[in-house]
Amino acid sequence: MNTILPNQLRFIFKGSNGLIEGLIVYFIFYSNIKNNFTIGPLMSNERGEIILSEELVKEVISNSKNDFPMDYDGGIEDCYKLEVVVESKKELKDRVVRLEEFYPENALSLQQLLGTCSNDRTSLNQEITLPLEEETFNISVV
């Protein structure tokens, strides 16, 4: 594959009891230039999957650069690593508190997802090197 990112990435989250529905996940694209780009929170569907489109990734990068031009620069071509982050419910509640002062809309959105999530005691950080060789990733969350 010649591009850093395919049209679509499919992440399938599995636990000891099978596919995990309702898992809150963040995706962080690490950039060689300035700050990293975070996508999420996204929640896995009934098939335990999250589909991350190239269009969404480019939109988040573009919005970050437009909203905070002093903090962000570059694009997906400047990214070297993707990190898949699953936090426990406690960690997510702590994140809500940190977001409330400066990003109240983000805090409210995450708070609403917490009511139905399956992140009980789960934590995971999995790194994937870019450019990507695959389009589907099976992520084991134990």
Side-chain angles (χ1 to χ4, degrees):
M1 184 171 294
N2 293 336
T3 61
I4 197 162
L5 192 67
N7 290 335
Q8 170 177 292
L9 295 173
R10 183 173 175 230
F11 296 88
I12 303 169
F13 297 90
K14 299 177 182 176
S16 54
N17 294 328
L19 299 174
I20 305 174
E21 178 181 359
L23 191 67
I24 296 174
V25 180
Y26 286 89
F27 299 90
I28 303 171
F29 284 86
Y30 284 78
S31 176
N32 287 315
I33 303 173
K34 291 194 179 183
N35 290 329
N36 304 320
F37 302 100
T38 300
I39 300 173
L42 300 177
M43 187 177 272
S44 63
N45 63 21
E46 66 279 354
R47 295 179 304 280
E49 68 182 3
I50 294 176
I51 305 294
L52 196 59
S53 70
E54 178 184 28
E55 182 180 314
L56 174 63
V57 173
K58 288 182 176 180
E59 179 183 325
V60 168
I61 289 173
S62 176
N63 289 345
S64 296
K65 289 167 42 176
N66 289 336
D67 293 345
F68 305 100
M70 297 299 289
D71 295 328
Y72 295 96
D73 199 5
I76 189 65
E77 64 279 356
D78 300 304
C79 294
Y80 63 93
K81 176 174 71 172
L82 167 61
E83 184 175 16
V84 181
V85 179
V86 177
E87 296 176 327
S88 69
K89 215 174 227 187
K90 181 190 178 325
E91 291 168 317
L92 290 169
K93 287 177 182 178
D94 291 344
R95 185 186 283 263
V96 168
V97 171
R98 290 190 312 270
L99 287 171
E100 283 177 326
E101 185 176 354
F102 297 107
Y103 305 101
E105 292 172 6
N106 294 356
L108 180 60
S109 173
L110 178 55
Q111 184 68 46
Q112 290 170 341
L113 289 176
L114 276 168
T116 60
C117 79
S118 57
N119 290 59
D120 298 325
R121 290 179 296 260
T122 305
S123 285
L124 166 85
N125 291 64
Q126 183 167 330
E127 296 180 356
I128 302 168
T129 303
L130 299 176
L132 297 171
E133 298 294 323
E134 312 170 39
E135 294 181 10
T136 300
F137 297 88
N138 291 300
I139 310 285
S140 180
V141 182
V142 186

